[in-house]
Amino acid sequence: MGKDLEYYKDCFANLHLNDEKGRGYAPHKPILMLSIIALFRQKHITNNWIFLNQTLIDEFSRIWESMDTRSFVKSIVKPYYHMQYEPFWRLKVNLGYEEAVKDYRKMYSMKNITESVQYAEIDDELANILATELGCTELSKILIDNYFGNNNNGNSDYR
């Protein structure tokens, strides 16, 4: 299968999520991806480099607050780090931090991850898809339908 919209729809529908016993699957990765989609729509992201900057943090917080996430602790750092286990996401590690990045426990603080990681890189094909309204719409729908259903407090402004 080529890396087209259908490929990424499948990837987004099958994100590797942490199963929080008794609380369900952690919503962090889907919210991070919804945040990235929103920033592509707003033209804050225009290529395949995803920086952990204030714009992304603010968008993540905005979407987080619009969802029913009350049983989880809001953190953008963990999903930003753990997205590297998805087939379309790679971390660009700063020189000299290659070993530090291997210890996930050290990557759970904003200070450590921003010191260690320059940016995340998504597939060029995914960035090209997210540069289109159709791509943003289809991938947002997959994330919302698969991970949130009707638990979005009636808010749909991130679509």
Side-chain angles (χ1 to χ4, degrees):
M1 174 188 279
K3 290 186 175 182
D4 58 6
L5 180 57
E6 292 305 312
Y7 171 81
Y8 291 108
K9 285 168 75 172
D10 184 59
C11 288
F12 280 35
N14 294 290
L15 294 174
H16 301 93
L17 303 182
N18 188 26
D19 185 2
E20 300 284 338
K21 303 296 182 216
R23 294 186 291 167
Y25 289 98
H28 301 77
K29 283 184 178 182
I31 291 175
L32 176 58
M33 294 313 301
L34 285 168
S35 303
I36 290 166
I37 291 168
L39 294 179
F40 264 95
R41 277 193 163 128
Q42 299 164 26
K43 308 294 187 226
H44 289 291
I45 300 175
T46 57
N47 61 30
N48 67 330
W49 292 3
I50 311 299
F51 290 93
L52 186 53
N53 57 24
Q54 195 60 49
T55 304
L56 180 58
I57 294 166
D58 290 347
E59 189 63 26
F60 182 88
S61 293
R62 185 183 72 78
I63 294 174
W64 183 273
E65 298 304 322
S66 74
M67 299 294 195
D68 182 10
T69 55
R70 62 182 164 256
S71 65
F72 296 93
V73 175
K74 179 174 62 174
S75 170
I76 193 172
V77 174
K78 289 180 181 183
Y80 188 87
Y81 175 80
H82 286 292
M83 284 297 296
Q84 70 181 309
Y85 301 108
E86 304 301 337
F88 54 85
W89 184 282
R90 295 161 299 285
L91 295 176
K92 174 65 173 159
V93 178
N94 286 321
L95 191 60
Y97 286 89
E98 297 83 5
E99 288 303 311
V101 169
K102 290 179 183 176
D103 184 353
Y104 69 91
R105 293 166 299 187
K106 290 182 180 175
M107 295 297 108
Y108 285 175
S109 80
M110 185 64 75
K111 177 187 178 295
N112 287 352
I113 199 161
T114 55
E115 225 174 55
S116 304
V117 175
Q118 233 177 61
Y119 56 85
E121 180 181 57
I122 60 173
D123 292 345
D124 286 329
E125 298 91 343
L126 178 55
N128 290 336
I129 290 167
L130 291 175
T132 69
E133 185 57 34
L134 175 65
C136 289
T137 300
E138 291 292 314
L139 292 175
S140 292
K141 183 175 178 4
I142 290 291
L143 292 166
I144 293 163
D145 290 350
N146 278 277
Y147 303 110
F148 301 105
N150 294 323
N151 293 333
N152 64 6
N153 296 334
N155 190 346
S156 62
D157 63 342
Y158 49 82
R159 290 184 190 206

